[in-house]
Amino acid sequence: MAAEELKTGPLEYRTQEGQMSIMGFWIFLGAEVVLFATLFATYAVLFGRTADAPLPSELFEPGIVLIMTFLLLTSSFTCGLAIHEMRRGSVKGLIFWMVITLALGLGFLGFEIYEFVHYAHEGATLQSSAFWSAFFVLAGTHGLHVTLGIGWAILLLIQIKQRGLTNVTSRKFFIISLYWHFLDVIWIFIFTSVYLIGMVI
Amino acid sequence: MHITDILVTGEPIIYGAMVSMALGGLAILFVLTYFKKWKWLWREWLTSVDHKKIGVMYILSALLMLFRGGVDAMMMRVQLAFPDLGFLNSQHYNEIFTTHGTIMIIFMAMPFLIGLMNIIVPLQIGARDFAFPYLNALSFWSFFFGMALFNISFVIGGSPDAGWTSYTPLSGAAMSPGPGQNFYLMGLQLSGIGTLATGINLMVTILKMRAPGMKLFHMPIFTWSTLVTCFIIVFAFPILTVALALLTIDRIFGAQFFTLTGEGLPMMWANLFWMWGHPEVYIVILPAFGIFSEVIATFAKKRLFGYNVMVWSMIVIALLSFLVWVHHFFTMGAGAFVNSVFSVSTMLIAVPTGVKIFNWLATLYKSKIEFTVPMLWSLAFIPSFILGGVTGVMLGMAAADYQFHNSYFLIAHFHYVLIAGTVFACFAGLVFWYPKMFGHKMNERLGRWAFWLFFFGFHVCFFPQYFLGLDGMPRRLFITNVAEWLPLNVISTVGAVGMALGFVVFVYNVYYSFRYSERETTGDSWNGNGRTLEWATTTPVPYYNFATVPYVDEIDPYVRMKEEGKTTFEEDEVKPIHMPSYTGQPFIFMALLGLASFGLIFEWMYLAVFGLIGGVVMMIRRSFDYDDGYYVSVEEIKETEKKARGL
Amino acid sequence: MKAKHLRNRWLGLLPLSLIFFLSGCGQLEMTVLNPKGPVAQSQYDLIVYSLWFMLGIIVVVFALFTYMIIKYRENRPGRKESDYDPNLHGNTTIEIIWTIIPVIIVILLSIPTVTTLFDLEKPPVPAAGEEEKEPLVVYATTADWKWFFSYPEQDIETVNYLHIPADRPIEFRLSSADSMSALWIPALGGQKYNMAGMMTTLYLEADEEGVYDGRNSNFNGEGFAAQTFKVYAESEEEFNAWAEEISNEAPELTAERYDELLAPGLTDVQSYSNTHLDYVKHHTREGMGYVVEKYREQFKEKLHLYEIEEQESFQ
């Protein structure tokens, strides 16, 4: 099956294996959408069940969340640039933009950890109430995805150094870019439906 | 922690089980060592990525679980028919119905069907293997270790005892402390990963690896049912993943999702559980419909009536399955409007299902019915399933459901659909495709005995339960303490014995056929009545499946191939075939995650972290794995095919 | 071959056995099919109404099925050439017909279902000619594994038994102190869940005096099978006399006594001359965790329940 290889088109789509992997990943992202939708629904249902813990409006600060949003949105853009460079055949450009993407991602994570620790100091932890359980698990699941994405991308950077651009390495980078954009989309929903609404109400 | 704190003590039945498990384990170890089969086991099975072998392992595990779940069922039936014996106490009974339900759905029905899909779907579409063979092995081992975890619970740590639905707050840390409930959560979580992966894997396989020319609406109906099922798996299983994770976080890390403290909301569990749970019902019934369609068409020697309608009705059922979950708790007091909406959506499912029944009947019209064993199971399905289906509609009428809910009426209903639907289909499918898997058929006479014992046993067992329900007997009751309920319970137990005997005969038949059945010489095992591609290749199936894949542009391609004298071995067209290499990684990876889960169950965090790190290391290894498989040479293919075809 | 033929005939006997069983129902006096009040009656009517449709469907499918497997079996003597048409694979008209008929059945079933659902949210309407009575309010609270019935009007409380006046609607206000349970008195009508942190309302009414069985029907742990109670439906005068007697003679339910009763376990029947409703509100977010916090340790202990008759505390 792998024997038939197209001669034109993006590298990652030239073999049937490449096409299947990408399709499989799209379906996986569909499952991820359901996973996050369930977490969002849980959060919405438990909204207002803060018990004795502080209210979200007392803790959520626009500044830090805006910085996080900016970092993640920019990283999505640089990730797109990385894939653009990959399509042009430039390994250097790919690595450069990917490293920038990871740096931005790490910055996002740093702020998120700071934010969680800060809330915990103010008396809002995973254990304090149903609402805060839902908040930490929703935001935390997203944060965990970002962490895994960073680790994964580092492995791919090592591989591209070793092997250069091939059908396989380009496919792997294309898939991680899908993943990274997906996390960005999820964050936009978290930003609006968790932080913006939480600050207002 | 002392060893006696971990092992379950004080129950004679459990001691007996411990001893028999230990003896069984020792016997297996002895046989493997004596016959020097360890290497064989590792090289041929544990490291296999071949979809056929993985399928066989799925089915063997499922049969083992059918036995375990069946023993649970028999113990419940004995207790209910002879309440004065004091055979089981309340706690023990509660553990048994919990494991019975969980095992039958998660570790029996699903793996049985996934095993059949594993073996048959690639063959039906002319594929070499799954799209991602490595992932397929990973799926199996995740199921296997999830199953193993769940099953050791009754000797180590104690079984879960909050019902297979595990409703909060009962199943929360406050009211069910200890590892029992954690076994449920982690066992399901681990095997759930595998199910989701299989869903994605099969979906890509079906969408991208079909034989040249085969459009979606040329696919065999079993493949169609698999595709629709995978769609449900992909969209329903993440909900279970989240629900289980939230309850685990509640229990182990003290969160407040479903608790009575911290303003938690226990009722959310019921919602999340059934948002997965109802689609799950269709995950185990749609493939069954697919199997019946294949078997009925084959032994009616006729094309399936209304192929397009059959496909569309499955798609409609799949969509509706996501819109009816509230009918599992009409009695929660959501109000007349909500209940009305879900009542109507529930009853609507009867429409596509009814259409399917009529199409099967129409397939029999002007046919030549041959009463083989798989056909007996399939035909018995129609009248039996109707009894379950109509009572399902009655349960769907919310106002009446207030009286049926939580009663034996409900128990009778879902056993009627799950046994007459899923279990009959598992037997039908296994007997039907048995020659493809093992190179010989199952003995017909013993097969009939197994069928008739199981069939009559089933009706005798569950039909009286409708009336127990109407007399107000609630489910999950460990004692028949109302005199009027006793006679029907005794009848029911007699039926259960019949089913057990049927199962025993079936298992004996596996051994008997292995010893005495004639070996198959052609690929088209059922008197040349095969209609789809799996019958076109030789038996036993070569590991590369098809030497050459035919061009397909119709529904039952093998019928015309036979008329035109075509085979899947066109000597001039043979090309080298690319195959994946075997690997032990999936086994080790999932064993490590199993270890991590075990650590979480007992809240031994060092073990959990160790297992998780091991899992991450395995993922990193996989990422650097550029093994591209190997090619089977043209000479080898020609040699194998000529030998198998007697050319 | 003859034996095989006979066996297939057996399948045809199934619908007959169903009718046989259903006619047997009358003698068996199954509770749900012997309604003793207007709520159970309306549900009974709905069940019987649906049963006719279901029987119709069963008869049609079984008849077609029997016809097919007898007429089209391969080795039936006297099979004709025209009995086999391997290429027959569809017919749009007939597909439409057998889609529309089930749709019609679903519509016919939906209408009474929906109207009954809305009716059940209100107190039962009195029969023609009878005056409408104000419902009697009873708070039914469960705790593992017992029932508390509080009568705010009479200011009395009973444990594990219930007295109600016949011919007067009862408004049950259901709640739970811990696990989820369900109040079910099959003779009087269907069930509803008792849940901690919320209150659900269930209307029931007895139109015949008598003693009925009531229970928790939703599994909630070890003592589930013992969480039953008797319902004494009596005339308004008898009920008032009983309430008066309890009010005068039963001991007071102190907060401490109530706390003791809340501990997980079984209890015999008891009566008190006041209610627990002022002590703790299990149906509120503040009150729902009361029992699990107080009795965290006791929930770890097991009852080791074998036969319920042997439990002296339980009647």
Side-chain angles (χ1 to χ4, degrees):
Chain A
M1 297 267 174
E4 289 122 48
E5 192 181 316
L6 301 172
K7 295 287 173 253
T8 55
L11 266 183
E12 65 270 19
Y13 278 107
R14 285 190 191 171
T15 60
Q16 201 198 1
E17 270 171 349
Q19 293 173 15
M20 291 196 302
S21 298
I22 292 168
M23 180 191 243
F25 199 79
W26 273 110
I27 299 172
F28 171 73
L29 286 183
E32 286 270 68
V33 168
V34 180
L35 185 133
F36 275 103
T38 314
L39 286 173
F40 275 108
T42 307
Y43 176 84
V45 169
L46 296 178
F47 192 84
R49 291 180 166 256
T50 34
D52 307 326
L55 293 171
S57 52
E58 294 165 26
L59 292 188
F60 289 170
E61 288 163 28
I64 189 171
V65 183
L66 272 175
I67 296 172
M68 284 162 74
T69 308
F70 173 77
L71 287 175
L72 206 62
L73 288 188
T74 314
S75 82
S76 208
F77 179 66
T78 55
C79 182
L81 287 179
I83 297 303
H84 179 69
E85 290 293 327
M86 182 182 88
R87 289 269 167 85
R88 282 182 46 209
S90 159
V91 176
K92 249 189 180 157
L94 168 63
I95 294 178
F96 175 76
W97 287 114
M98 212 58 207
V99 170
I100 301 267
T101 306
L102 292 191
L104 291 166
L106 274 174
F108 168 86
L109 263 187
F111 276 104
E112 185 156 60
I113 292 168
Y114 164 78
E115 186 206 0
F116 281 11
V117 172
H118 171 67
Y119 291 166
H121 276 297
E122 298 288 326
T125 63
L126 180 75
Q127 289 90 359
S128 16
S129 71
F131 169 80
W132 286 109
S133 299
F135 168 81
F136 281 109
V137 169
L138 171 56
T141 306
H142 178 264
L144 187 69
H145 274 76
V146 174
T147 316
L148 285 176
I150 291 172
W152 181 11
I154 291 170
L155 299 181
L156 296 193
L157 284 171
I158 298 169
Q159 287 168 33
I160 195 122
K161 267 286 188 194
Q162 289 173 340
R163 295 169 187 270
L165 267 186
T166 65
N167 290 335
V168 182
T169 50
S170 62
R171 178 193 85 211
K172 290 187 172 189
F173 269 103
F174 183 71
I175 286 178
I176 200 172
S177 77
L178 292 179
Y179 180 76
W180 201 262
H181 295 312
F182 167 75
L183 292 185
D184 205 38
V185 173
I186 295 294
W187 179 258
I188 290 169
F189 279 99
I190 293 182
F191 176 66
T192 48
S193 64
V194 173
Y195 287 101
L196 288 187
I197 292 178
M199 277 181 250
V200 176
I201 300 176
Chain B
M1 201 185 255
H2 197 260
I3 186 79
T4 49
D5 296 337
I6 305 170
L7 285 178
V8 177
T9 49
E11 287 280 348
I13 298 170
I14 292 179
Y15 285 136
M18 274 184 203
V19 171
S20 57
M21 270 169 85
L23 287 178
L26 282 175
I28 291 171
L29 292 183
F30 176 76
V31 167
L32 283 172
T33 313
Y34 186 79
F35 291 102
K36 299 201 174 74
K37 288 287 187 189
W38 282 103
K39 236 188 186 152
W40 165 82
L41 183 70
W42 175 258
R43 276 225 306 261
E44 296 291 317
W45 294 95
L46 303 190
T47 59
S48 176
V49 294
D50 183 340
H51 69 100
K52 299 179 286 295
K53 287 191 169 168
I54 291 174
V56 168
M57 289 193 284
Y58 263 118
I59 291 173
L60 285 179
S61 311
L63 281 171
L64 188 68
M65 286 299 102
L66 184 56
F67 173 73
R68 158 84 208 265
V71 169
D72 284 348
M74 289 312 293
M75 285 163 77
M76 287 192 281
R77 285 311 330 160
V78 168
Q79 166 69 14
L80 291 177
F82 308 103
D84 295 334
L85 281 183
F87 176 53
L88 298 177
N89 68 16
S90 173
Q91 176 62 24
H92 200 170
Y93 188 86
N94 298 344
E95 291 175 6
I96 286 175
F97 74 66
T98 302
T99 52
H100 169 76
T102 316
I103 283 176
M104 286 301 198
I105 296 281
I106 305 280
F107 301 118
M108 192 286 285
M110 270 209 304
F112 209 129
L113 294 167
I114 288 178
L116 290 171
M117 291 173 185
N118 250 279
I119 298 168
I120 299 308
V121 167
L123 294 176
Q124 282 197 328
I125 60 174
R128 140 187 71 70
D129 202 314
F130 271 40
F132 315 112
Y134 176 96
L135 188 67
N136 192 27
L138 205 73
S139 294
F140 172 73
W141 292 111
S142 90
F143 149 73
F144 182 86
F145 285 108
M147 172 189 87
L149 265 186
F150 189 86
N151 274 283
I152 57 167
S153 67
F154 79 109
V155 286
I156 304 174
S159 295
D161 57 359
W164 88 280
T165 49
S166 192
Y167 270 15
T168 53
L170 177 63
S171 61
M175 278 183 247
S176 297
Q181 217 49 44
N182 296 347
F183 270 111
Y184 170 92
L185 293 168
M186 297 314 300
L188 263 62
Q189 189 69 284
L190 193 55
S191 66
I193 298 171
T195 310
L196 181 61
T198 300
I200 296 172
N201 206 340
L202 271 166
M203 220 160 153
V204 177
T205 308
I206 294 172
L207 291 175
K208 296 293 269 189
M209 295 178 74
R210 295 192 306 277
M214 187 190 268
K215 295 205 175 82
L216 282 179
F217 275 84
H218 293 148
M219 294 195 310
I221 198 84
F222 178 61
T223 300
W224 249 117
S225 73
T226 303
L227 182 61
V228 178
T229 305
C230 290
F231 169 85
I232 308 179
I233 288 177
V234 168
F235 288 99
F237 261 77
I239 306 177
L240 178 72
T241 305
V242 171
L244 294 171
L246 298 187
L247 188 52
T248 310
I249 296 171
D250 256 14
R251 290 179 56 87
I252 298 178
F253 302 104
Q256 310 270 13
F257 287 102
F258 310 113
T259 54
L260 290 175
T261 51
E263 303 198 350
L265 192 60
M267 301 333 301
M268 196 172 61
W269 169 267
N271 277 281
L272 292 177
F273 183 85
W274 287 114
M275 279 161 86
W276 158 79
H278 199 84
E280 164 71 13
V281 170
Y282 292 92
I283 292 173
V284 295
I285 202 70
L286 288 181
F289 288 170
I291 293 169
F292 291 131
S293 303
E294 298 284 359
V295 173
I296 289 176
T298 304
F299 296 109
K301 301 177 183 109
K302 193 163 158 273
R303 247 179 86 174
L304 185 68
F305 195 86
Y307 171 88
N308 288 345
V309 180
M310 287 298 225
V311 171
W312 279 108
S313 63
M314 284 196 288
I315 294 171
V316 172
I317 290 174
L319 295 176
L320 280 175
S321 76
F322 284 92
L323 303 173
V324 299
W325 79 92
V326 170
H327 73 215
H328 295 273
F329 43 87
F330 277 140
T331 53
M332 200 180 270
F337 180 72
V338 172
N339 282 356
S340 298
V341 170
F342 281 93
S343 205
V344 174
S345 66
T346 301
M347 283 190 271
L348 275 179
I349 292 193
V351 176
T353 317
V355 167
K356 293 186 83 73
I357 296 275
F358 286 119
N359 274 294
W360 283 312
L361 288 174
T363 306
L364 298 178
Y365 177 68
K366 295 209 169 184
S367 68
K368 277 188 192 166
I369 301 172
E370 188 187 345
F371 292 98
T372 58
V373 175
M375 188 62 161
L376 284 178
W377 286 108
S378 306
L379 289 176
F381 149 78
I382 295 175
S384 311
F385 188 80
I386 276 287
L387 293 176
V390 293
T391 48
V393 175
M394 291 169 74
L395 280 155
M397 301 166 68
D401 178 71
Y402 295 165
Q403 285 280 34
F404 300 140
H405 185 63
N406 268 335
S407 80
Y408 262 81
F409 191 87
L410 170 73
I411 301 296
H413 156 71
F414 72 66
H415 282 94
Y416 255 88
V417 282
L418 283 174
I419 295 181
T422 307
V423 178
F424 281 19
C426 287
F427 284 134
L430 182 56
V431 180
F432 183 50
W433 284 306
Y434 203 84
K436 268 286 127 175
M437 299 174 197
F438 301 105
H440 60 268
K441 275 193 207 132
M442 290 184 88
N443 181 281
E444 279 270 310
R445 203 165 58 87
L446 284 172
R448 279 170 205 282
W449 270 101
F451 166 74
W452 286 110
L453 278 168
F454 198 90
F455 173 76
F456 280 112
F458 160 69
H459 281 283
V460 173
C461 182
F462 291 104
F463 201 65
Q465 295 187 1
Y466 283 120
F467 303 98
L468 283 172
L470 291 175
D471 201 25
M473 179 165 168
R475 68 192 295 199
R476 297 173 170 177
L477 190 69
F478 90 103
I479 189 161
T480 335
N481 57 349
V482 173
E484 294 88 75
W485 296 340
L486 204 53
L488 285 179
N489 269 297
V490 173
I491 295 177
S492 188
T493 300
V494 170
V497 171
M499 292 169 80
L501 288 176
F503 178 74
V504 169
V505 174
F506 190 90
V507 172
Y508 174 69
N509 197 0
V510 170
Y511 165 78
Y512 183 89
S513 310
F514 172 71
R515 287 290 301 270
Y516 304 110
S517 263
E518 225 179 287
R519 306 295 117 159
E520 291 295 314
T521 49
T522 78
D524 197 7
S525 308
W526 295 98
N527 299 334
N529 284 319
R531 310 181 70 81
T532 40
L533 284 185
E534 76 266 31
W535 304 109
T537 186
T538 56
T539 294
V541 185
Y543 60 98
Y544 51 77
N545 290 354
F546 296 94
T548 56
V549 181
Y551 184 86
V552 176
D553 57 358
E554 62 190 327
I555 289 163
D556 292 328
Y558 190 44
V559 176
R560 178 128 61 105
M561 280 173 72
K562 280 186 277 192
E563 281 166 14
E564 293 175 359
K566 286 186 183 157
T567 66
T568 57
F569 177 52
E570 302 296 325
E571 213 174 331
D572 330 323
E573 293 169 23
V574 177
K575 283 187 213 145
I577 296 174
H578 180 237
M579 295 296 294
S581 325
Y582 279 18
T583 162
Q585 284 184 46
F587 179 83
I588 299 168
F589 185 8
M590 283 301 145
L592 284 164
L593 284 193
L595 201 64
S597 309
F598 189 75
L600 271 178
I601 287 167
F602 285 94
E603 302 183 31
W604 297 337
M605 290 306 159
Y606 290 111
L607 187 62
V609 170
F610 170 78
L612 277 177
I613 291 174
V616 170
V617 170
M618 290 308 292
M619 282 164 86
I620 294 171
R621 251 201 83 178
R622 173 63 182 165
S623 181
F624 283 93
D625 184 357
Y626 277 73
D627 181 351
D628 198 28
Y630 63 96
Y631 282 87
V632 189
S633 68
V634 174
E635 293 72 46
E636 191 190 333
I637 298 170
K638 285 187 178 170
E639 200 183 314
T640 318
E641 292 290 322
K642 280 179 179 158
K643 210 170 127 203
R645 289 169 192 273
L647 294 173
Chain C
M1 278 304 110
K2 190 160 187 205
K4 198 192 289 174
H5 177 190
L6 278 177
R7 283 197 200 125
N8 293 320
R9 279 268 165 91
W10 269 94
L11 294 178
L13 290 178
L14 274 173
L16 279 179
S17 70
L18 182 78
I19 294 161
F20 167 74
F21 254 101
L22 285 176
S23 60
C25 298
Q27 282 109 44
L28 282 169
E29 302 243 313
M30 283 176 289
T31 325
V32 171
L33 302 182
N34 280 286
K36 302 289 185 194
V39 173
Q41 184 67 46
S42 69
Q43 286 160 338
Y44 169 82
D45 293 343
L46 194 61
I47 292 170
V48 171
Y49 171 82
S50 65
L51 215 48
W52 285 114
F53 286 93
M54 300 314 154
L55 268 180
I57 294 166
I58 289 171
V59 166
V60 168
V61 172
F62 278 41
L64 278 172
F65 177 77
T66 316
Y67 173 77
M68 297 296 176
I69 61 168
I70 289 173
K71 174 111 193 258
Y72 296 109
R73 74 208 142 83
E74 190 168 33
N75 34 30
R76 175 171 65 89
R79 254 192 91 103
K80 286 191 292 270
E81 197 56 29
S82 62
D83 286 343
Y84 184 49
D85 183 2
N87 294 318
L88 179 77
H89 63 267
N91 181 323
T92 314
T93 321
I94 200 158
E95 298 280 3
I96 291 172
I97 291 171
W98 66 42
T99 308
I100 288 188
I101 291 174
V103 169
I104 293 170
I105 295 176
V106 167
I107 293 171
L108 290 177
L109 292 173
S110 295
I111 294 166
T113 302
V114 172
T115 53
T116 314
L117 273 174
F118 279 91
D119 288 344
L120 293 179
E121 300 286 308
K122 300 179 293 242
V125 183
E130 283 180 36
E131 51 159 341
E132 199 175 318
K133 289 183 185 164
E134 191 64 19
L136 172 75
V137 175
V138 178
Y139 285 79
T141 310
T142 57
D144 283 1
W145 291 273
K146 47 195 105 60
W147 286 93
F148 298 95
F149 298 106
S150 323
Y151 300 75
E153 271 173 63
Q154 287 74 14
D155 198 30
I156 54 172
E157 180 152 321
T158 59
V159 181
N160 287 344
Y161 78 106
L162 173 70
H163 276 250
I164 54 168
D167 291 322
R168 179 174 168 192
I170 316 294
E171 181 182 328
F172 286 104
R173 297 192 183 165
L174 310 175
S175 186
S176 166
D178 37 45
S179 55
M180 184 170 91
S181 48
L183 180 114
W184 191 26
I185 309 167
L188 303 187
Q191 65 207 285
K192 214 171 236 183
Y193 288 160
N194 298 55
M195 294 167 284
M198 43 188 104
M199 183 169 282
T200 41
T201 309
L202 174 67
Y203 291 102
L204 294 177
E205 181 179 334
D207 53 15
E208 247 177 71
E209 292 174 24
V211 185
Y212 307 116
D213 290 322
R215 73 177 322 128
N216 164 24
S217 57
N218 193 70
F219 175 72
N220 62 345
E222 249 202 308
F224 163 65
Q227 201 173 4
T228 58
F229 58 92
K230 289 278 180 218
V231 184
Y232 301 90
E234 50 208 10
S235 68
E236 189 89 42
E237 299 75 42
E238 280 173 308
F239 172 76
N240 288 334
W242 168 80
E244 188 72 13
E245 188 190 324
I246 299 293
S247 182
N248 293 332
E249 289 173 20
E252 190 193 348
L253 179 64
T254 59
E256 294 74 36
R257 178 75 190 125
Y258 182 60
D259 278 352
E260 279 169 36
L261 285 172
L262 284 177
L266 304 179
T267 322
D268 47 10
V269 297
Q270 297 174 25
S271 318
Y272 294 99
S273 58
N274 62 326
T275 70
H276 77 266
L277 298 174
D278 296 331
Y279 302 144
V280 48
K281 292 183 167 43
H282 302 292
H283 65 275
T284 61
R285 285 189 198 174
E286 292 73 34
M288 69 178 179
Y290 185 76
V291 171
V292 290
E293 276 173 355
K294 198 171 186 68
Y295 291 112
R296 209 168 271 282
E297 286 306 307
Q298 276 85 330
F299 275 108
K300 292 177 186 166
E301 287 160 23
K302 297 292 179 198
L303 294 179
H304 301 292
L305 216 57
Y306 271 88
E307 287 173 59
I308 289 171
E309 289 79 3
E310 288 175 10
Q311 304 285 322
E312 272 190 36
S313 55
F314 176 73
Q315 274 310 313

